Amino acid sequence: MASNHHVIQVAVPRPLHSVYDYHVDGSTDVPKVGARLRVPFGRSEVIGVCISTTVDTPHDNTKAVLEILDADAAIAEELLDLAQWMSGYYHYPLGEVLATILPSAARKGSDFEIKPPPPPDLWHLLDPSAASPRAKTQQAFVQHMQLAGAPVTGPDLESAGFNRPMLRKLETLGVVERKHSTDSTALDPPLTATPEQAQAIEAVTKTKQFATFLLEGVTGSGKTEVYLQVMAPVLEQGKQVLVLVPEIALTPQTLARFENRFAGVGIMHSGLTDQQRLQTWLRCRSGDIRVLIGTRSAVFTPFADLGLIIVDEEHDSSYKQQEGLRYSARDLTVKRAQSANIPLLLGSATPSLESLYNVQRGRYRHLEITQRAGGALMPSFDVIDMRGQSLRGGFSDTLIRIIRQHLAATGQVLIYLNRRGFAPTLLCQSCGWQCVCSDCDAKLTLHRRPEQMVCHHCSLRFALPERCEHCGHTDLLPIGVGTQRAEETLAELFPGVPLYRIDRDTTRTTNQLNSQLEQIHQGRPCIMVGTQMLAKGHHFPQVTLVAVVNADAGFLSPDFRAPERTAQLIVQVAGRAGRAERPGQVWIQSHQPENPLLKRLMAHGYSSFAQAELNSRLDAGLPPGQPMAMLRAEAFDPQIALEFLQQCKGHLLNQVKTKNNTPHGDVQIMGPIPAPMARVAKRARFQLILIAESRPQLHRLLASIGQPKTPSSLRWSIDVDPYDAM
Ligand code: ADP
Ligand code: ZN
Ligand code: ZN
């Protein structure tokens, strides 16, 4: 090799062996570690990241780097270390980890040029009567402004779903007036913390180095106020704060709680354009953004001087990426806080068993708030035995009576159901045939308006069958209750009462959701019916009744995490009741009121439930007691997927044997078995579960799988700490 070449190591976004040697000419500066480079790869060019400039035994015949895109590192050392760690922990190629970490504009080679953010424009409501009375969006806009009761910034209006062309139109109509303002709007002062809040705030604030706190605060206990008061001194020291929130909780209401208290709040979520994302990323890196509120992937944002990380609703499943690089953002915050040597605050009313186990082992410090803030009381809990009751669209007479009472007392009612659509099953009354998806092993859900059968797994839509495919009968009966059916029933039972259905079908746009939420926040008696979109994060002061239409399914699922998840959902949705002066009631319908899990939750609350559940997991040798990984494989031909996992199993058993000289040792390998949803979009899916005694052992075994040669029709992946078994 020519001596005037300098060989470097580059990670490229390719699945196989993603680290390669390249060289730069002696006449060029050696790129910085972390810089993006354009390099030839196969017959194409890719953008990779320089990960080392000192190569001990360089390959011969290295190819030349085509272009160095960054004079400095694009990925700072801290994030590069994190990427290396993730590559090892999640058994994922480094180049692809880096591609996940970088905003996609950066991955595609965009310049790192910070464009000055547009000057904040402030919109003042001038003349509501100038809006057309029949234009729905114009009226929604007026309502939005009236509710805000103060000028609103352009970006806030945009995120509430009012686009720029519409704002300009309203401006010409004379409804609103736009003023450019550089003065920061007056910020709210902190509330007087309750003694429990104060204790939590003090514990975190006096900690100056790495420590993880688990704040277990009942619903409505004012966890957000704790976050805000913990953030204040960190920001005063000139440091930045990262706040992670669950996907569906990143509403304008949530954002406003932070923006009303601090200047320099930025936001990062999947709804941003590539350029917006890159700009936010750059402005966090430069220190311009002081507080970043973001969903899962915001955990990869670089900061100039990070002083604190907060994870709200740390138990939430949206922190786990379920495809590609299957990382847990919550777990990664621990890594980041550790390497930045700063405190980490995880908050939840229903902490994950993982975090509670870490408290038990002394790794996390437990902070508790047992009382609601502002004098609100915890709601009462009762179960309605559905057995033997006549049901109307899933509602028992008892529940209907209770709903009527609450509406009469001018309360708002929230009804939770875990199914969207009209009915989850269409059944032949004659032979029991059920309408299923052509491409999945899944029952189709009946939807109305438009009337069709929808697969919730692959999204295929089908016309309603006129007759049974099996016996030809025409008596097809919708079984079970989805949100559409509940809505229809409630409209019949309570004519004239405003009814809001909130699920993925009614809230396609943030505009739709926000205008519904605004009407609800006006406080008049109404009924809301919805899926988990309603269950999380919202603060509805006027809700006095929360009803869970059916609590059973969750407790019956074979997934070992199902009881934990079900309990969390019930407690979260229940937590929407009685959050202000008026006490709340929670009523839960069940066909199995004697279910011990449900009974424990009702009688003793989440903490006690979680402790019992944790004990039984530890006894059963399941996570979080022992580490688990899942190998998933899918192919159109079931045999291909199955055989691959059988080979993996054979290989793993061999590994264990050579290590321990016993056939199974302390490792459990279960499967391969069909996945709970055994076929999705025509692909057969299998899984192999691996439970090890220790992390190092788990990782040794997973690493030994390496990169086997597989048929191109096979898709397979390793999921470390899988969240669900689907
Ligand atoms: P959580 O997130 O714990 O469910 P929130 O942060 O939504 O609870 O707080 C519930 C309500 O209590 C909010 O309206 C909040 O403004 C109010 N609140 C929080 N802390 C206090 C306090 N110290 N004094 C009075 N009201 C408070
Ligand atoms: Zn039939
Ligand atoms: Zn399907």
Side-chain angles (χ1 to χ4, degrees):
M1 182 181 6
S3 60
N4 60 342
H5 280 175
H6 189 106
V7 177
I8 59 170
Q9 251 179 358
V10 180
V12 299
R14 285 294 181 272
L16 293 168
H17 313 290
S18 66
V19 177
Y20 292 87
D21 288 355
Y22 285 89
H23 69 258
V24 285
D25 259 346
S27 56
T28 335
D29 282 342
V30 176
K32 294 266 165 46
V33 168
R36 292 172 301 158
L37 314 168
R38 208 153 50 77
V39 294
F41 190 83
R43 271 184 228 129
S44 59
E45 287 174 10
V46 297
I47 291 175
V49 175
C50 174
I51 54 164
S52 172
T53 53
T54 49
V55 183
D56 291 341
T57 47
H59 280 265
D60 295 335
N61 302 324
T62 53
K63 291 185 189 169
V65 170
L66 300 172
E67 188 188 353
I68 298 172
L69 298 176
D70 306 299
D72 285 316
I75 295 195
E77 196 185 336
E78 186 218 334
L79 284 174
L80 211 51
D81 288 347
L82 182 71
Q84 299 266 19
W85 181 86
M86 287 171 74
S87 176
Y89 189 88
Y90 293 113
H91 298 268
Y92 208 70
L94 179 62
E96 298 226 307
V97 173
L98 290 167
T100 309
I101 283 187
L102 278 171
S104 71
R107 200 156 68 225
K108 291 172 192 153
S110 277
D111 275 345
F112 280 4
E113 180 199 350
I114 301 191
K115 306 196 176 74
D121 49 345
L122 216 48
W123 296 76
H124 301 248
L125 188 62
L126 274 186
D127 180 8
S129 67
S132 156
R134 269 163 309 167
K136 262 194 180 165
T137 36
Q138 293 191 14
Q139 290 304 324
F141 175 81
V142 167
Q143 213 168 46
H144 184 89
M145 294 299 290
Q146 283 170 338
L147 259 160
V152 182
T153 67
D156 280 352
L157 286 172
E158 275 183 305
S159 62
F162 303 108
N163 58 31
R164 292 277 164 182
M166 181 190 165
L167 293 179
R168 278 191 292 274
K169 173 153 188 219
L170 288 160
E171 196 178 12
T172 28
L173 289 173
V175 180
V176 276
E177 183 184 25
R178 172 173 45 166
K179 287 182 186 161
H180 284 286
S181 97
T182 38
D183 61 36
S184 51
T185 30
L187 298 171
D188 290 345
L191 301 173
T192 308
T194 63
E196 283 181 322
Q197 282 175 325
Q199 233 175 15
I201 294 161
E202 203 211 319
V204 182
T205 301
K206 72 175 190 217
T207 304
K208 304 291 176 209
Q209 68 287 35
F210 169 63
T212 305
F213 297 89
L214 178 65
L215 173 62
E216 182 172 7
V218 296
T219 55
S221 61
K223 289 185 287 295
T224 310
E225 188 60 32
V226 173
Y227 304 154
L228 292 167
Q229 296 199 26
V230 167
M231 289 162 72
V234 176
L235 294 167
E236 272 159 30
Q237 286 165 34
K239 292 177 185 292
Q240 295 163 287
V241 180
L242 168 64
V243 183
L244 293 188
V245 297
E247 237 150 52
I248 56 180
L250 192 47
T251 59
Q253 287 84 356
T254 307
L255 193 59
R257 294 173 85 172
F258 291 90
E259 282 182 328
N260 292 344
R261 197 68 70 83
F262 306 115
V265 176
I267 156 172
M268 183 82 99
H269 58 80
S270 55
L272 300 182
T273 64
D274 285 358
Q275 271 307 321
Q276 285 172 326
R277 233 170 201 287
L278 179 62
Q279 286 300 315
T280 305
W281 192 84
L282 291 171
R283 291 176 59 215
C284 287
R285 198 167 87 137
S286 73
D288 189 19
I289 289 175
R290 312 305 307 160
V291 175
L292 182 69
I293 320 270
T295 51
R296 177 175 67 228
S297 65
V299 73
F300 301 127
T301 313
F303 290 94
D305 190 4
L306 190 61
L308 169 72
I309 305 177
I310 292 170
V311 182
D312 190 25
E313 310 291 0
E314 64 85 30
H315 66 280
D316 194 88
S317 61
S318 74
Y319 290 127
K320 170 87 178 170
Q321 168 120 323
Q322 301 280 24
E323 57 185 31
L325 173 54
R326 295 167 180 260
Y327 64 91
S328 155
R330 182 209 44 219
D331 295 351
L332 291 178
T333 58
V334 180
K335 271 282 161 218
R336 281 204 79 173
Q338 207 167 23
S339 70
N341 197 23
I342 55 173
L344 165 64
L345 176 57
L346 309 175
S348 177
T350 53
S352 63
L353 299 191
E354 275 72 15
S355 294
L356 289 169
Y357 185 52
N358 279 321
V359 167
Q360 195 166 306
R361 289 195 294 172
R363 295 195 174 180
Y364 294 178
R365 287 184 52 193
H366 202 195
L367 306 169
E368 278 181 287
I369 312 183
T370 57
Q371 307 280 319
R372 281 186 159 178
L377 297 174
M378 288 307 282
S380 64
F381 274 87
D382 290 283
V383 176
I384 298 172
D385 187 349
M386 290 160 96
R387 287 171 303 186
Q389 291 218 36
S390 70
L391 297 178
R392 263 188 84 172
F395 294 89
S396 64
D397 291 342
T398 316
L399 182 54
I400 294 169
R401 202 183 61 242
I402 294 166
I403 295 173
R404 187 158 283 132
Q405 284 165 2
H406 280 262
L407 291 172
T410 72
Q412 292 184 335
V413 171
L414 187 155
I415 294 180
Y416 169 77
L417 240 122
N418 63 348
R419 291 286 190 143
R420 63 199 168 86
F422 186 81
T425 310
L426 192 62
L427 180 88
C428 170
Q429 284 197 289
S430 167
C431 77
W433 170 82
Q434 298 183 357
C435 188
V436 293
C437 178
S438 61
D439 292 1
C440 309
D441 280 353
K443 286 184 271 183
L444 293 175
T445 302
L446 172 63
H447 281 243
R448 294 253 168 106
R449 283 169 287 130
E451 194 144 45
Q452 54 189 353
M453 303 300 299
V454 181
C455 177
H456 286 184
H457 296 274
C458 72
S459 303
L460 276 185
R461 287 153 198 279
F462 302 84
L464 228 62
E466 279 173 14
R467 48 187 70 244
C468 169
E469 279 178 20
H470 187 241
C471 76
H473 255 266
T474 51
D475 293 339
L476 301 181
L477 190 70
I479 301 286
V481 185
T483 46
Q484 283 187 328
R485 187 178 217 170
E487 180 187 27
E488 199 177 285
T489 309
L490 290 163
E492 282 164 15
L493 288 168
F494 304 101
V497 176
L499 186 58
Y500 303 97
R501 172 158 66 90
I502 296 183
D503 57 32
R504 257 204 293 142
D505 298 319
T506 61
T507 54
R508 281 273 145 75
T509 68
T510 36
N511 199 351
Q512 282 171 309
L513 177 61
N514 287 325
S515 81
Q516 284 183 315
L517 291 178
E518 269 159 30
Q519 289 170 36
I520 293 163
H521 281 298
Q522 293 184 353
R524 283 190 291 274
C526 69
I527 303 175
M528 305 164 226
V529 52
T531 55
Q532 54 168 330
M533 293 195 79
L534 261 186
K536 299 184 186 175
H538 299 291
H539 183 65
F540 299 119
Q542 301 307 319
V543 167
T544 58
L545 169 64
V546 165
V548 177
V549 175
N550 192 331
D552 299 336
F555 287 118
L556 295 176
S557 161
D559 185 341
F560 75 90
R561 283 185 211 274
E564 174 188 359
R565 270 203 295 260
T566 307
Q568 285 166 344
L569 244 168
I570 290 177
V571 173
Q572 291 289 344
V573 69
R576 303 311 112 204
R579 289 168 69 95
E581 302 82 51
R582 299 208 260 172
Q585 291 184 353
V586 180
W587 289 87
I588 294 173
Q589 294 196 129
S590 170
H591 282 110
Q592 300 184 311
E594 299 307 316
N595 180 311
L597 295 171
L598 181 61
K599 277 179 83 172
R600 178 178 275 277
L601 183 64
M602 293 295 109
H604 304 289
Y606 182 80
S607 291
S608 159
F609 172 91
Q611 190 56 54
E613 190 62 16
L614 178 56
N615 290 343
S616 73
R617 291 250 201 106
L618 298 183
D619 287 346
L622 287 167
Q626 281 177 250
M628 176 189 277
M630 189 179 299
L631 268 69
R632 292 187 170 82
E634 55 175 69
F636 294 121
D637 179 355
Q639 209 50 38
I640 288 182
L642 188 60
E643 264 168 27
F644 171 73
L645 290 183
Q646 271 159 351
Q647 277 164 16
C648 288
K649 182 178 188 174
H651 165 84
L652 290 169
L653 286 175
N654 262 334
Q655 290 287 314
V656 178
K657 206 168 170 176
T658 42
K659 290 264 153 27
N660 297 341
N661 249 332
T662 52
H664 288 277
D666 37 19
V667 179
Q668 297 175 60
I669 302 176
M670 289 166 279
I673 51 163
M677 187 57 62
R679 196 173 60 114
V680 171
K682 294 191 177 148
R683 290 172 169 274
R685 316 198 308 166
F686 290 86
Q687 58 193 31
L688 185 70
I689 290 171
L690 185 61
I691 297 180
E693 184 100 291
S694 68
R695 286 265 162 210
Q697 184 195 37
L698 183 79
H699 286 299
R700 258 198 320 273
L701 285 169
L702 292 175
S704 77
I705 296 171
Q707 298 279 359
K709 264 204 156 10
T710 55
S712 60
S713 61
L714 179 82
R715 289 188 195 159
W716 73 281
S717 62
I718 294 177
D719 190 353
V720 178
D721 309 328
Y723 181 76
D724 63 15
M726 299 298 276

